Amino acid sequence: MHSEMVYIDEHIMDFDLDAALQQISEQRREQALRFKFERGQRTCVLAYLLLRKALRQEYGIHENPIFEYNVHGKPSIIGHPDIHFNLSHCREAVACAVSPHPIGIDVESVSRYNDSVALYTMNDRELQQIAAAPRPDVAFIRLWTMKEARLKLTGEGITDDLKSALADSARYRFTTIEQLERNYIYTVCEE
């Protein structure tokens, strides 16, 4: 197996939600049904289905994974402490990364660039990179996915100080894939 495996699915609206809800764990079904809107339910279920596919293909595990959560809410699979995973979704796609090492993934839609959000979340060096880019919207989302993937890897989640989220980035390996024809970018971060 490679260091990490990434699974992406863009078919959020193209599966039978009711049937899928019956195939997943009760724990995940309850979580999915807490979403008020169908799209949230679908992304929650589809992310879990991607994880099941990854576990089957990469590790030969066929049962539904059951999660436990650390103090920051980062999930792990009960009975499989050696398998690390992370899930993410946006309007266009759902992403799952699995690895024998701690891992984080973030997928985000490319949207209109917003100066005030960038000023709040990016440091001076990052703002210069965005300003120099041919597409500031793409540069911003790329950096945002790097920050969020790194924070998800460590289990910190979104913090109040996003400007310094990549300060120790030399410790990590980042893989950024731009799916601009599909309007999203995803980044994987691994130790």
Side-chain angles (χ1 to χ4, degrees):
M1 185 174 120
H2 297 96
S3 180
E4 95 268 339
M5 294 301 297
V6 175
Y7 293 78
I8 303 286
D9 194 324
E10 300 169 355
H11 300 95
I12 296 167
M13 302 306 287
D14 299 339
F15 68 94
D16 184 335
L17 178 60
D18 291 329
L21 283 166
Q22 299 311 309
Q23 298 169 7
I24 62 177
S25 71
E26 182 179 337
Q27 178 191 49
R28 190 63 172 194
R29 183 172 37 256
E30 288 174 2
Q31 186 178 5
L33 292 175
R34 282 195 288 264
F35 284 90
K36 182 177 180 179
F37 297 107
E38 182 183 343
R39 187 170 204 88
Q41 293 173 3
R42 286 181 165 280
T43 56
C44 183
V45 169
L46 190 53
Y48 187 84
L49 293 175
L50 279 180
L51 176 60
R52 275 190 11 182
K53 179 180 180 180
L55 293 174
R56 188 175 56 253
Q57 291 182 355
E58 306 302 326
Y59 296 94
I61 297 170
H62 293 273
E63 67 269 6
N64 280 329
I66 305 298
F67 304 146
E68 59 187 352
Y69 298 87
N70 73 11
V71 295
H72 299 290
K74 184 175 172 118
S76 59
I77 301 169
I78 293 175
H80 298 281
D82 54 325
I83 300 173
H84 300 269
F85 75 96
N86 204 233
L87 307 171
S88 184
H89 61 84
C90 66
R91 184 151 189 78
E92 287 76 25
V94 174
C96 170
V98 294
S99 174
H101 310 286
I103 194 161
I105 189 168
D106 187 47
V107 60
E108 297 288 341
S109 303
V110 177
S111 57
R112 193 171 62 89
Y113 177 68
N114 183 318
D115 277 326
S116 61
V117 173
L119 287 169
Y120 182 73
T121 59
M122 302 292 159
N123 63 38
D124 290 342
R125 183 182 49 77
E126 294 161 347
L127 289 169
Q128 290 171 355
Q129 288 176 7
I130 293 167
R135 289 205 43 200
D137 57 340
V138 170
F140 172 80
I141 293 298
R142 180 180 166 273
L143 286 165
W144 178 269
T145 61
M146 289 176 69
K147 288 173 185 263
E148 194 160 336
R150 206 284 279 159
L151 293 170
K152 289 174 73 179
L153 166 121
T154 61
E156 296 171 61
I158 299 296
T159 65
D160 290 335
D161 184 21
L162 287 171
K163 290 183 179 189
S164 66
L166 298 177
D168 62 348
S169 63
R171 284 187 50 205
Y172 304 103
R173 188 173 68 79
F174 290 92
T175 305
T176 299
I177 308 293
E178 297 177 5
Q179 297 287 356
L180 297 180
E181 68 280 359
R182 295 191 171 93
N183 201 45
Y184 65 87
I185 294 173
Y186 71 89
T187 296
V188 177
C189 180
E190 191 174 27
E191 284 188 338

